[in-house]
Amino acid sequence: MSKVFKILLLLFSILSFSQNKQENEIFKKIISHEIEKNKVPIYIECRKPKTSFNVREFKEDTGGITVSEKTLNDFEKNNTDTEETWNSELIKQSEFNPKYIKNTNCLTDEEIEILFKDIYKRQNIISVSKPLFDNDFENCIVSITYSKSFHSASGKSYLLKKTNGIWTIITEFGHWIS
């Protein structure tokens, strides 16, 4: 019995490490992409909101993108609510251009509120959701939100695919603004 338990514990540890590594790769990819695309300084939020996913909406928003039904079903089944945060070490260890990163530690909700109250100008605070993977960890959906002030935000989602060990952005979808 204890051998089975040890084997299960080892397998769980390996899978958890693999998933965390995948999530970290997605985080770095998305932040790098946003920096390259927008060329504006950003703050990064600690909280990992849930990735919103609906198969019907995904198909409507992405039009001609071909994604297998198995992958879509995996996304739907794996879409769980969590209370996780990004590790600030990811920001420190990443090779983001420091010209575009305003914080080396990610911001908590309280710090964001203080920032909005203390500085009466628009900000670029990016929140990266918890990545939503298929069961094979070959496809991923992640959402971002840009908070500009207390009542101004926008966001979108990305579909990524792992090709030759590298995560590639396939498409953006589900754009919104408030």
Side-chain angles (χ1 to χ4, degrees):
M1 178 77 161
S2 89
K3 283 184 182 182
V4 171
F5 179 72
K6 288 178 183 177
I7 291 170
L8 287 173
L9 186 62
L10 177 66
L11 286 173
F12 179 74
S13 298
I14 291 169
L15 288 173
S16 293
F17 174 75
S18 171
Q19 183 175 359
N20 287 337
K21 182 180 181 229
Q22 301 288 339
E23 286 186 3
N24 294 348
E25 288 175 6
I26 297 296
F27 175 85
K28 291 175 186 178
K29 178 72 174 186
I30 294 302
I31 295 295
S32 295
H33 175 77
E34 289 300 312
I35 288 171
E36 283 178 34
K37 183 177 169 190
N38 296 313
K39 305 269 192 241
V40 294
I42 60 172
Y43 289 97
I44 300 172
E45 183 177 358
C46 295
R47 190 173 48 88
K48 284 185 197 177
K50 177 181 176 181
T51 301
S52 180
F53 181 76
N54 176 287
V55 173
R56 182 186 52 77
E57 289 174 6
F58 175 82
K59 287 179 178 181
E60 288 173 5
D61 285 349
T62 57
I65 300 293
T66 303
V67 178
S68 75
E69 289 299 319
K70 179 198 173 303
T71 297
L72 294 176
N73 289 333
D74 288 352
F75 286 153
E76 202 160 55
K77 281 186 240 167
N78 297 335
N79 195 13
T80 58
D81 209 356
T82 64
E83 290 292 324
E84 295 181 37
T85 59
W86 292 107
N87 185 339
S88 287
E89 289 301 312
L90 266 175
I91 301 169
K92 294 173 185 171
Q93 295 170 357
S94 298
E95 296 178 9
F96 302 133
N97 184 336
K99 174 178 165 182
Y100 296 111
I101 298 293
K102 288 186 168 187
N103 58 317
T104 54
N105 289 319
C106 59
L107 300 179
T108 64
D109 289 341
E110 293 80 25
E111 291 169 325
I112 291 169
E113 187 173 328
I114 290 168
L115 183 66
F116 282 149
K117 284 181 180 176
D118 287 348
I119 302 171
Y120 291 101
K121 65 178 191 175
R122 295 175 66 77
Q123 301 298 316
N124 289 305
I125 301 172
I126 189 171
S127 173
V128 180
S129 72
K130 178 171 179 56
L132 180 59
F133 295 97
D134 64 355
N135 290 343
D136 299 324
F137 287 89
E138 293 177 359
N139 298 282
C140 171
I141 292 179
V142 66
S143 299
I144 64 161
T145 301
Y146 270 102
S147 298
K148 302 289 187 174
S149 67
F150 278 121
H151 303 291
S152 175
S154 63
K156 61 187 161 202
S157 296
Y158 289 100
L159 171 66
L160 296 94
K161 183 166 184 63
K162 195 165 197 173
T163 309
N164 298 323
I166 298 171
W167 285 102
T168 305
I169 295 173
I170 303 300
T171 191
E172 297 178 8
F173 64 98
H175 294 76
W176 62 272
I177 191 165
S178 70

